[in-house]
Amino acid sequence: MKREKPQLIINGRRLDGRAPQDLRPIKIEVGVLKNADGSAIVEIGNTKVLAAVYGPREVVPKHQEQIDRAIIRCRYRMLSFSTPGERKSPAPSRREIELSKVIREALEPAILSYQFPRTAIDIYVEVINADGGTRTAGITAASLALADAGIPMLDLVAAVAVGKVNGVIVLDLNEVEDMYGEADMPVAAMPSLKRITMLQLNGVLTPDEFRQALALALDGINRIYQLQKDALRRKYVEASE
Ligand code: ADP
């Protein structure tokens, strides 16, 4: 639901000082949990997301097993203290169930699941602090956790949202921009293969705005992809030197 719009862009700058095409500051760390097969933390501005991957492992319950591939399961949750105020109930919400599916479907095209028949790959995304873009940060983190778990993929998946705020196309919306903007469009892609694996649009864009927004999203995704590769390199190359 879009409410009455406050002024979110003043003299070409957003309320946090960014230009329309700027990402928030990003911090990525891979391999942050000892007990998981793979893990990663992604911070983008005030949004902070932890992803953990377990598997390929035995399928429980057994009837979910597929003879020709691994099944991919995903659980997205927001920690009850991740949002300001007391708005988030700890019970799984419809939104969390939907986002679990959205994140899984954004990652599935990258995973070579036929290499692991009769197994399960479980992906957990925990939102530690929420300020817009949690599904996209979750996808970016989960694909790194999959790589950290050694699961073969066609490419990493990176994701970011674009949108329209006070008539301007902007990259990487924060919560206020998401809430009061005219449109919000999360996009995920396998950057080196130039394949989009998720695209959602909430709000209204003209065809020209849509093209401009998509190009900006893909540019942001490429920048995030470089940071993902840097983070993997820090864990795997520099650690062995
Ligand atoms: P995304 O986090 O992928 O942008 P939404 O568009 O659904 O997904 O949410 C936008 C932002 O609104 C979230 O990042 C979070 O900051 C806030 N938000 C969403 N759901 C809740 C909730 N139940 N309680 C408090 N804040 C929420």
Side-chain angles (χ1 to χ4, degrees), residues 55-75:
R57 64 182 178 183
E58 193 184 340
V59 184
V60 182
K62 193 125 181 107
H63 67 85
Q64 288 184 358
E65 202 177 86
Q66 296 293 319
I67 53 164
D68 57 344
R69 61 183 170 86
I71 57 163
I72 319 282
R73 298 182 291 204
C74 178
R75 199 195 80 153

Side-chain angles (χ1 to χ4, degrees), residues 123-154:
I123 303 166
Y124 298 89
V125 172
E126 299 287 342
V127 178
I128 300 167
N129 205 83
D131 185 23
T134 63
R135 86 193 59 195
T136 48
I139 292 165
T140 300
S143 104
L144 285 168
L146 285 162
D148 187 38
I151 290 170
M153 287 186 286
L154 292 173

Side-chain angles (χ1 to χ4, degrees), residues 41-214:
I41 274 202
V42 169
E43 284 178 60
I44 179 155
N46 296 325
T47 288
K48 184 169 184 171
V49 174
L50 168 67
V53 165
Y54 294 83
R57 64 182 178 183
E58 193 184 340
V59 184
V60 182
K62 193 125 181 107
H63 67 85
Q64 288 184 358
E65 202 177 86
Q66 296 293 319
I67 53 164
D68 57 344
R69 61 183 170 86
I71 57 163
I72 319 282
R73 298 182 291 204
C74 178
R75 199 195 80 153
Y76 163 102
R77 291 285 187 273
M78 282 173 112
L79 294 181
S80 54
F81 58 78
S82 67
T83 60
E86 290 183 33
R87 291 180 293 160
K88 172 64 182 76
S89 147
S93 63
R94 284 182 57 141
R95 176 180 172 275
E96 286 169 312
I97 294 166
E98 183 195 330
L99 288 194
S100 301
K101 177 173 182 286
V102 165
I103 293 171
R104 173 172 57 75
E105 290 179 348
L107 295 164
E108 257 172 350
I111 302 171
L112 299 177
S113 51
Y114 61 84
Q115 291 193 5
F116 303 99
R118 298 182 188 280
T119 67
I121 297 170
D122 290 310
I123 303 166
Y124 298 89
V125 172
E126 299 287 342
V127 178
I128 300 167
N129 205 83
D131 185 23
T134 63
R135 86 193 59 195
T136 48
I139 292 165
T140 300
S143 104
L144 285 168
L146 285 162
D148 187 38
I151 290 170
M153 287 186 286
L154 292 173
D155 196 2
L156 288 168
V157 182
V160 74
V162 275
K164 186 167 133 185
V165 171
N166 294 161
V168 180
I169 301 297
V170 298
L171 182 62
D172 184 22
L173 288 78
N174 60 27
E175 179 173 326
V176 183
E177 293 174 330
D178 181 294
M179 203 184 316
Y180 295 106
E182 297 94 274
D184 163 34
M185 185 169 99
V187 182
M190 294 188 276
S192 61
L193 298 179
K194 299 197 184 343
R195 289 277 189 278
I196 292 169
T197 63
M198 174 197 74
L199 193 150
Q200 301 183 293
L201 173 59
N202 180 21
V204 178
L205 295 174
T206 66
D208 273 350
E209 286 170 343
F210 173 77
R211 276 187 279 274
Q212 189 193 339
L214 184 58

Side-chain angles (χ1 to χ4, degrees), residues 15-34:
L15 294 187
D16 57 10
R18 282 184 291 161
Q21 68 281 7
D22 288 347
L23 292 166
R24 292 174 283 180
I26 299 182
K27 262 171 56 186
I28 300 181
E29 201 180 337
V30 176
V32 291
L33 298 176
K34 254 217 144 35

